[in-house]
Amino acid sequence: MALEDLYREVILDHYRNPRNKGHIDSPDATAHGVNPLCGDEVTIDLTFNGDTVTEVAVESQGCSISQSSASMMTEAIKGKTRSEIESLTNKFKSMMSIEEDTDLGLDPERPGSVLGDIEALQGVRQYPVRIKCANLGWTVLAEALSS
Amino acid sequence: MTDLSHLKADFPVLENGVHFLDSGASSQKPIPVLEAMDRFARTSYANVHRGAYKLSVASTEAYEAARRRVAEFIGADNPSEVIFVRGTTTALNTVAFGWGLENLQEGDRILSTEIEHHANLVPWQMVAKRTGATLDHIPMTDDFRLDMEAYESMIGPDVKIVTVTGMSNVLGTMPPVRQIADIAHRHGARVVVDAAQLVPHVRVNVSDLGADFLAFSSHKMLGPTGIGVLWGRMDALEETEPFEGGGEMISDVTLQSATWAEIPHRFEAGTPPIIEAVGFHAAIDYLESIGMEKIFEHDMELTEIALQRVGDVPGVSIQGPNNTIDRGGVVSMTMEGVHAHDLATILDEGGVAVRAGHHCAKPLMNRMGVAATARASFYVYNTEQDIDALVTGLRRARELFGMS
């Protein structure tokens, strides 16, 4: 496993230029999470129209993996319903799981066909200590959705 | 250049070629320490201070010999001033709760600093809350030193205890403990020194240092985990109540009350870390066979090289004093555009082990305006090649992040 597979261009791009960065003035849901071991932080604000996420904003600080993961997540969930987001979250968590070897139907010939840019984070699985970085944004999202 | 490279062979864990630059978190263990513990456990082990049988007498003698060795090592005339505890954290909690709850009340002040490890910060917050005392912090200057002018303006008769690190685990800064202690004593305050980073690297003599309490751990000085020391000046220990009750620490017990055993035993409730004490003894022998002066010299030579070569990598900032004056072998760094955790992962791929994060010093990180640093820390087994590997890794990080 080469470091180039971990630090793919798309990850570095999201790290340098995080999408949907900031806060929403009066969000319908919000959550904040910290990884106490490393100090990475993510705050997520959401607005809904019925069951569908209309706006999402993330304020965060941390490493390239936690930041890019959160940024890619915001792009993936905008316009999605709660149940679509739940299914996306499950797919992401299994992609990050070292125990499970679930077939997510990821197509090596067509990268991004299932999870979009997020698939670029597959490389993280080879670095177990960094999995928690990739998961942070998604964990906070789950909290915001249940709040 | 002080050449200690022959020592590397004593550390089995280094055989795979790892560039181990995280001794500030915990040091590796040399064969003589491992062998001493193994030999003792195989031949002389039993519980201490209890049995009337020969094995227990031998075990007690080994445990007490370790106490005398520690006393000698830190220049304490009276071995009873050496209390074996679990580590620096327990030692500092013993002072905070054992001394603090007895001697602090509303209106009193505890003076700490902005550069402390959480172990010398959180216990004092807890004790301040319980006693109604206030907790203030001596600020850090922009060149990563303690602001001594501010300290002199903060000290006063209401300050009952001053607690300060002997060497910052993030910055490497070594505050002028003697001067701090003298000023504190003029105002009648007790002085605590968190020496977790100091004692493993610098010859400490408690009568010169001026502290009333000194805390350090075996595992950062080539010894095993699970044992550390609270040294206290006898009159300061007499003001301290035991923090834990149990066996070993009593003189007499009825159903309603108990009286305490003599110092140090009253502070050592329960079965102590006996095999660890033997390993700790062997670690001190090992350090002394090299010589503490030589160890510090070697640390500082590596630090000087690291400050220069790491500082030369574009985008890297040293987070700590940029010279070798009054500092130890701890070099923290940040790289523009690359987070410390990413640095640590990339360095690890090159076999370089560093610590990345807030180093259990979040208030200091806030003061420095950084969320995390990568930290290299040196010890006897490190060489110039370890620093070269570090620098190679730092340059690789820039490359990977498209900044070469």
Side-chain angles (χ1 to χ4, degrees):
Chain A
M1 184 73 195
L3 281 166
E4 281 81 359
D5 284 330
L6 179 65
Y7 295 114
R8 293 185 193 178
E9 194 44 49
V10 59
I11 292 180
L12 295 178
D13 179 52
H14 277 272
Y15 175 49
R16 292 190 197 106
N17 311 295
R19 320 294 199 265
N20 302 302
K21 188 177 164 56
H23 284 292
I24 296 172
D25 276 345
S26 33
D28 298 320
T30 187
H32 169 77
V34 182
N35 186 332
L37 289 176
C38 61
D40 283 11
E41 290 185 45
V42 169
T43 305
I44 295 179
D45 295 338
L46 297 169
T47 58
F48 294 94
N49 181 2
D51 223 21
T52 305
V53 169
T54 46
E55 286 300 326
V56 51
V58 163
E59 194 59 66
S60 61
Q61 66 85 17
C63 67
S64 65
I65 304 302
S66 70
Q67 304 305 287
S68 63
S69 180
S71 168
M72 291 190 273
M73 180 188 76
T74 63
E75 288 198 314
I77 65 167
K78 208 189 253 188
K80 297 279 198 312
T81 64
R82 281 175 182 271
S83 67
E84 285 169 334
I85 292 171
E86 196 175 317
S87 138
L88 208 55
T89 304
N90 288 338
K91 281 184 182 146
F92 179 80
K93 292 265 160 113
S94 5
M95 186 175 87
M96 282 300 132
S97 157
I98 24 177
E99 291 86 26
E100 260 177 78
D101 214 5
T102 333
D103 184 11
L104 296 170
L106 300 185
D107 184 351
E109 299 298 314
R110 291 168 52 241
S113 55
V114 177
L115 282 167
D117 284 356
I118 298 170
E119 286 179 29
L121 283 165
Q122 276 179 88
V124 175
R125 220 159 59 149
Q126 306 299 318
Y127 296 84
V129 293
R130 304 302 298 278
I131 291 174
K132 62 178 169 33
C133 311
N135 280 336
L136 179 63
W138 292 86
T139 307
V140 178
L141 172 67
E143 221 176 285
L145 287 172
S146 65
S147 69
Chain B
M1 181 88 197
T2 313
D3 185 13
L4 299 180
S5 57
H6 57 284
L7 299 177
K8 217 163 175 168
D10 291 338
F11 295 84
V13 90
L14 302 177
E15 275 167 20
N16 68 2
V18 62
H19 298 283
F20 188 75
L21 295 175
D22 197 21
S23 299
S26 197
S27 68
Q28 297 300 341
K29 323 300 173 201
I31 290 168
V33 168
L34 303 175
E35 284 182 349
M37 292 169 73
D38 185 70
R39 195 168 48 240
F40 173 75
R42 284 169 191 270
T43 61
S44 318
Y45 179 76
N47 211 332
V48 294
H49 301 136
R50 283 177 201 159
Y53 49 93
K54 291 188 185 69
L55 209 50
S56 175
V57 173
S59 195
T60 303
E61 175 43 36
Y63 181 69
E64 291 303 322
R67 192 191 308 281
R68 292 194 296 274
R69 187 69 180 103
V70 170
E72 185 190 10
F73 182 64
I74 59 172
D77 296 333
N78 182 357
S80 295
E81 294 179 337
V82 171
I83 296 152
F84 283 131
V85 292
R86 185 162 56 92
T88 305
T89 298
T90 307
L92 292 168
N93 275 279
T94 301
V95 182
F97 287 89
W99 188 93
L101 291 184
E102 279 303 298
N103 296 282
L104 293 170
Q105 54 189 5
E106 216 170 319
D108 289 342
R109 283 163 69 217
I110 304 163
L111 207 47
S112 184
T113 85
E114 270 183 357
I115 69 171
E116 299 306 313
H117 187 282
H118 294 165
N120 198 25
L121 178 63
V122 181
W124 298 107
Q125 293 173 348
M126 294 162 89
V127 167
K129 205 170 168 184
R130 288 212 205 166
T131 57
T134 52
L135 175 59
D136 295 320
H137 303 93
I138 305 166
M140 181 179 80
T141 62
D142 289 337
D143 59 351
F144 306 100
R145 306 288 181 180
L146 278 191
D147 186 338
M148 292 297 286
E149 270 179 41
Y151 170 50
E152 296 214 38
S153 72
M154 292 168 91
I155 190 94
D158 51 348
V159 174
K160 293 295 186 288
I161 194 155
V162 176
T163 183
V164 59
T165 181
M167 184 195 292
S168 160
N169 69 310
V170 177
L171 311 167
T173 301
M174 286 163 55
V177 170
R178 179 65 204 233
Q179 198 186 338
I180 290 168
D182 286 348
I183 294 168
H185 286 153
R186 276 206 296 278
H187 291 85
R190 289 292 188 188
V191 176
V192 187
V193 175
D194 169 1
Q197 301 291 336
L198 184 69
V199 165
H201 297 272
V202 181
R203 166 83 62 201
V204 167
N205 185 304
V206 288
S207 51
D208 296 337
L209 195 69
D212 299 295
F213 295 102
L214 186 79
F216 55 100
S217 300
S218 147
H219 74 93
K220 290 193 206 288
M221 48 192 292
L222 310 183
T225 50
I227 188 167
V229 169
L230 171 62
W231 170 85
R233 206 176 290 289
M234 191 48 77
D235 59 323
L237 289 176
E238 280 162 358
E239 291 173 6
T240 308
E241 275 289 285
F243 168 51
E244 287 183 314
E248 196 97 16
M249 55 80 69
I250 48 86
S251 165
D252 190 24
V253 184
T254 65
L255 282 176
Q256 295 304 327
S257 66
T259 52
W260 308 147
E262 291 298 300
I263 294 171
H265 306 294
R266 74 172 62 156
F267 298 110
E268 296 182 357
T271 296
I274 306 164
I275 301 174
E276 289 80 1
V278 170
F280 191 12
H281 188 158
I284 294 174
D285 286 346
Y286 187 91
L287 290 170
E288 286 286 34
S289 74
I290 306 164
M292 291 309 293
E293 290 71 16
K294 203 174 213 174
I295 289 170
F296 188 59
E297 203 177 288
H298 176 253
D299 281 347
M300 294 324 293
E301 285 168 2
L302 291 178
T303 303
E304 187 156 14
I305 293 170
L307 289 174
Q308 214 167 66
R309 293 185 197 169
V310 168
D312 277 352
V313 178
V316 170
S317 306
I318 302 288
Q319 302 290 339
N322 219 337
N323 53 51
T324 52
I325 302 162
D326 294 333
R327 65 129 57 231
V330 173
V331 178
S332 267
M333 64 202 80
T334 50
M335 184 184 278
E336 181 77 44
V338 186
H339 194 276
H341 301 152
D342 293 311
L343 275 182
T345 296
I346 296 163
L347 289 168
D348 186 41
E349 285 294 291
V352 179
V354 299
R355 173 92 190 267
H358 53 60
H359 315 288
C360 299
K362 288 192 88 168
L364 170 59
M365 306 304 277
N366 287 339
R367 163 68 178 83
M368 287 155 65
V370 298
T373 75
R375 178 191 72 181
S377 48
F378 310 120
Y379 215 2
V380 294
Y381 32 69
N382 290 120
T383 62
E384 202 176 335
Q385 284 74 47
D386 296 328
I387 297 168
D388 288 337
L390 168 67
V391 169
T392 302
L394 293 173
R395 293 189 186 277
R396 173 103 170 97
R398 286 184 55 79
E399 224 174 85
L400 279 163
F401 276 67
M403 295 183 299
S404 53

